[in-house]
Structure formats: C-alpha cells, structure tokens
Amino acid sequence: MPFPPPSPPGPPPMSTTITALDVHDVRFPTAAAGDGSDSVNRGDYSATYVELRTDGDALGAGLTFTNGRGNEITCAAVRALADHVVGRTMEEIDDEPVPFWRSLTADPQLRWLGPEKGVIHMAAGAIVNAVWDLRAKLAGVPLWRLLAEMPTPDLVRCIDFHHITDALTPDEATAILDKGAVGYADRRAELERDDFPSYTTSVGWLGYPDDKVRALARQAHAEGWRAMKMKVGGSIADDVRRARLIREEVGPDTLLMMDANQIWDVDEAIANMRLLMEFDPYWIEEPTHADDVLGHARIARAVAEMSGGRCRVATGEVAANRVIFKQLLQAEAIGVCQIDACRVAGVNEVLAEILMAAKFGVPVCPHAGGVGLCEYVQHLAIFDYLRVGTSLDGRMVEYVDHLHEHFTDPVRTRDGRYRLPEQPGYSVTMRPESIAEYRFPDGPAWRT
Ligand SMILES: [Mg+2]
C-alpha cells in the first residue's frame, strides 16, 4: 500500500478561524473514596477544560489535568494565553506550527512564569491540544491517524528542536519517521484486529484497604489484565505486605509495576527496592524527585544490578519539558519513558519526546489515569507504534477505570487492551451535562 494511504473522501478544506476560547474549571470529587490516592497525592481529579470556538461548526477541545485545588490557577493561565490563539486561522497555524507553539510557550512576558514548566506550560498544553483536536476533527480522522499518516516533513515541521539538537536533529527525526512509514498498513491492521496493550493502575491505590486491593487484583486478573501497577511509598512494611498480597492474587506471570510518586530520597529508594525485589517488580516509577536526573540514573543502575537487568526505572508524568526528557535519556536514567499528554505543551512537544525515546531505544509507556489522560494518550501510543517505535515490545498504555463516562468518545478496552479510537479528534470532548454538573464551585456536585 502506498504511504500515506489514500484519505477517505471528505469535504474540501475550508478556512477556519478560531473566534473564541472558553475555559471551564471542572472538578470531580474523587478524594473522598481514595481513588487516585498515592504516597503524596489525594486529589479531586480536575480538568482545566478548554473549548476553541470557530466560525464554522467545529469545536476544538483540550484539557490539562490537575489534582483539585489550584485548578483555578491553570484556568487563569489559559486566559492569559488566549490572545495567542483567538483570531488565528487553522491555515496560519498549519503553515507555521513552531512559531505558533512558541507564541504560547515563549511569550516574552509570560515566559518568566516558567519557562516551559509548571502552570503556564500546562495551560499552553491545554490550548495546543485543543488546536490538534480541532485539526483532527476538521480532517475527519482520529488524532492517531492524522499523525501516523502525516508526511514526514509535515511532522518534523511541528517540532521545536530548540535545546534538544544535541540529542535529536531534524535529520535524525526524518530518518526515524521515514523508516516508520514502512510496514505502516500491516501494523495498523494488526492494531485494528488485536487492540493496543495496556496495564491497569486501578488495583492498588494507597488509600485502599488490603481486602479491597486483593479483590481488585483478583478481578483485574480475571478480566484479562496481565500487567498491573501498585502504589508504594507508605511505610515499607505496608508496601511489602501489599506487594505480597497482589503477587499472591495475580501469580508470577503478571507484570507488577510499582509507583512511588517521588516520595523517596535516592538512597532510600535503593534500600526500599532491595526489600521489594522479591516480588519481581517490572519497573519502579518516580522513585525520587522528578527533577533529579542524576538520582534517577543512580537508582536505575542499582535496581538493574539487583534484578539482573529485569527491573527498570520509569518516569515522565511530571517531567516539565522535552529538555528534562533529553537528560533522562542521555543519562540512561530511564528504561521506560512515561510521556504525559498535557504536563508538557501538548502534541508538538510530545512528538519530540517520542522521537528522542526512539532514538535512545527506550519504549514509551504513556502516563494516564486522572481525568481524560487515558482518552488522550491512547492516540500518542498508537502513533508511536505505527510510525516511530514500530515494535510493541515493552509498550503499554496505563489504564485507570475512572471518569470515562464524562467524555463523548471515551476509551474502550477489551481483554486488558485499548481498542483503537474511531471518532475524529483527540477524544477529550466533555459531555456538556458533565461540565454543568461538576463546574467548580457553582456546579450542583459542589454546591452541596
Ligand atoms: Mg505515576
């Protein structure tokens, strides 16, 4: 089959102008049940939800995930950036994607609040992703397909290589993407038939009592999940006990991942992993502070040595930008690259991270959960497999079974795997009734 494959027939492209940006503070009261609880977070899963209105019928939707209090700050940051997108045409943005992206990430005044990190960068991510959602909707295809079937020069043109050329050049990105076009149709047919591998984090939140963890692990195994993640970072005695009971339920052949959510010091992480090693962890996620690239590298060497190379370090869900990913890869600090769809400034920056991970031979297993993150990252993982990584070896998408009912195109799983999204866009369009119900602080869910 030629690459890219022929597009489905559709209306001819028309000029589309973004006429307005609306941002909604949407929060779900998840903290009370302990859903999503880990060693440091007890969140009410929240979305800084962005809608881009246009002069046509299309509406672009994007969000950035936050953990409850503070969502109003991300919403304010989105409003501060809105002038960079309102009034633009999609054609202008498509013609000059990096200058557009930099208008949001390198605004000469707002930049001081980052640069390229934290609230202001997450706000840029929500907007950038809404633009990509709009672009995919206008093309009439799901985002994974828009990206995977894009000509190589058009994809490379979307990436800001500033500050990463010592790890990945445009020529190297071009070579990876050209190579990834070979065999595309076969891989796509394979995913359409077999779905995309995933693992579940829903069994082992730190706030769940032992009998609930045991029941959920048993249920997940019965449902077909053969890879699961537990939270660690409580007392080490509790972590060991919980790891033992999950292992008892799921047997030796299920991959068990552990996630410390940054709570340990470097030496503490190494000491605790020595105690947890008898449960055969496949990876330790966020063992220490997210900014500690060299600390992650030390932990990676230590756990590899303890496990005969089997256990690796995973991180990325709060890695601030592509430069941190570059360092994690250059320092051999990660064996699993956990891109996040909206911690960084949206699809454009994630493309850089996926390509760098491919160059360094590290599989991408996107971070998900929260609200809307599963909906987002399935597209990125599918694109990665179809066009960049071209192997499923070590590739899985995180899955958490919360809050999907609030989206018009929720994720669908079958036997512990993600089915391919089919609707046009980036899958984070929220149901209007959910926005109305959970809008903070005046939605009915919060008034009581
Ligand atoms: Mg995590």
Side-chain angles (χ1 to χ4, degrees):
M1 188 191 268
F3 187 88
S7 297
M14 284 174 22
S15 172
T16 298
T17 302
I18 297 167
T19 54
L21 181 155
D22 297 328
V23 58
H24 304 275
D25 183 341
V26 185
R27 306 188 191 188
F28 300 95
T30 49
D35 298 343
S37 55
D38 59 45
S39 62
V40 294
N41 301 299
R42 298 282 188 280
D44 285 321
Y45 281 172
S46 301
T48 296
Y49 183 68
V50 171
E51 290 175 319
L52 298 177
R53 301 192 180 283
T54 67
D55 56 353
D57 295 333
L59 183 83
L63 62 80
T64 201
F65 166 67
T66 78
N67 217 13
R69 288 190 293 279
N71 199 41
E72 72 280 9
I73 302 172
T74 331
C75 290
V78 166
R79 287 187 201 100
L81 289 165
D83 282 349
H84 291 303
V85 69
V86 174
R88 298 250 202 177
T89 68
M90 290 303 285
E91 290 68 28
E92 283 167 21
I93 293 172
D94 290 355
D95 283 349
E96 295 205 296
V98 168
F100 166 67
W101 188 79
R102 280 192 190 158
S103 73
L104 294 163
T105 60
D107 174 290
Q109 297 194 358
L110 291 168
R111 182 183 184 281
W112 199 260
L113 302 182
E116 297 190 54
K117 60 176 70 71
V119 168
I120 196 72
H121 210 48
M122 293 161 70
I127 296 172
V128 168
N129 286 341
V131 169
W132 278 98
D133 176 66
L134 183 56
R135 189 169 174 182
K137 284 174 177 165
L138 290 169
V141 292
L143 182 82
W144 65 262
R145 189 170 160 198
L146 178 77
L147 293 173
E149 296 182 5
M150 203 178 271
T152 293
D154 292 353
L155 271 170
V156 172
R157 238 161 31 85
C158 292
I159 298 168
D160 186 355
F161 288 90
H162 195 196
H163 296 132
I164 59 170
T165 50
D166 54 324
L168 180 77
T169 65
D171 285 348
E172 288 170 327
T174 298
I176 293 169
L177 290 163
D178 280 345
K179 194 167 164 226
V182 178
Y184 167 82
D186 292 340
R187 285 190 297 280
R188 181 176 155 185
E190 177 200 358
L191 288 190
E192 282 168 343
R193 184 187 67 228
D194 298 339
D195 311 321
F196 197 93
S198 68
Y199 72 90
T200 177
T201 305
S202 291
V203 300
W205 298 115
L206 215 58
Y208 286 178
D210 285 3
D211 53 348
K212 185 168 180 176
V213 171
R214 190 181 281 282
L216 289 171
R218 185 177 301 174
Q219 181 190 338
H221 192 263
E223 288 171 355
W225 299 95
R226 290 296 175 270
M228 341 187 155
K229 191 162 78 187
M230 63 175 291
K231 296 292 181 176
V232 295
S235 81
I236 186 62
D238 286 348
D239 293 342
V240 166
R241 191 187 70 253
R242 288 154 47 85
R244 180 170 287 122
L245 71 85
I246 292 175
R247 234 336 145 211
E248 283 169 6
E249 290 300 328
V250 303
D253 297 331
T254 298
L255 292 180
L256 177 60
M257 290 81 87
M258 299 179 178
D259 185 356
N261 290 88
Q262 309 165 51
I263 198 165
W264 295 326
D265 278 20
V266 173
D267 290 318
E268 189 182 14
I270 293 170
N272 286 342
M273 287 312 295
R274 218 175 278 290
L275 297 173
L276 290 164
M277 217 31 90
E278 72 168 285
F279 308 106
D280 191 20
Y282 179 58
W283 76 51
I284 176 64
E285 177 172 328
E286 292 202 296
T288 193
H289 194 287
D291 293 351
D292 191 350
V293 173
L294 300 181
H296 279 86
R298 252 191 75 209
I299 297 165
R301 286 194 295 275
V303 297
E305 194 193 307
M306 291 174 209
S307 65
R310 184 170 160 79
C311 184
R312 55 205 71 192
V313 165
T315 196
E317 68 184 71
V318 303
N321 53 53
R322 67 200 177 287
V323 180
I324 297 292
F325 278 100
K326 176 187 78 170
Q327 291 190 37
L328 288 166
L329 291 162
Q330 288 173 322
E332 298 180 15
I334 51 173
V336 177
C337 178
Q338 295 183 300
I339 56 165
D340 182 280
C342 51
R343 166 70 60 177
V344 299
V347 172
N348 303 66
E349 190 160 12
V350 174
L351 290 175
E353 294 161 2
I354 288 174
L355 283 158
M356 281 193 290
K359 184 189 160 186
F360 284 83
V362 172
V364 172
C365 295
H367 168 240
V371 59
L373 299 183
C374 299
E375 276 70 19
Y376 262 150
V377 298
Q378 55 182 341
H379 292 269
L380 303 171
I382 292 164
F383 160 74
D384 172 36
Y385 171 59
L386 291 178
R387 192 67 193 279
V388 182
T390 69
S391 162
L392 288 177
D393 192 21
R395 286 187 161 75
M396 301 178 266
V397 181
E398 184 167 17
Y399 177 75
V400 179
D401 62 359
H402 301 148
L403 307 173
H404 303 297
E405 66 275 21
H406 300 296
F407 296 93
T408 60
D409 182 23
V411 292
R412 301 168 302 149
T413 60
R414 176 163 61 182
D415 300 329
R417 295 167 81 95
Y418 276 76
R419 303 187 68 181
L420 260 61
E422 292 170 356
Q423 290 185 29
Y426 201 178
S427 301
V428 296
T429 301
M430 250 186 212
R431 295 184 180 282
E433 57 272 28
S434 292
I435 298 171
E437 173 75 18
Y438 293 97
R439 196 172 51 211
F440 188 86
D442 56 331
W446 292 103
R447 279 207 301 269
T448 54

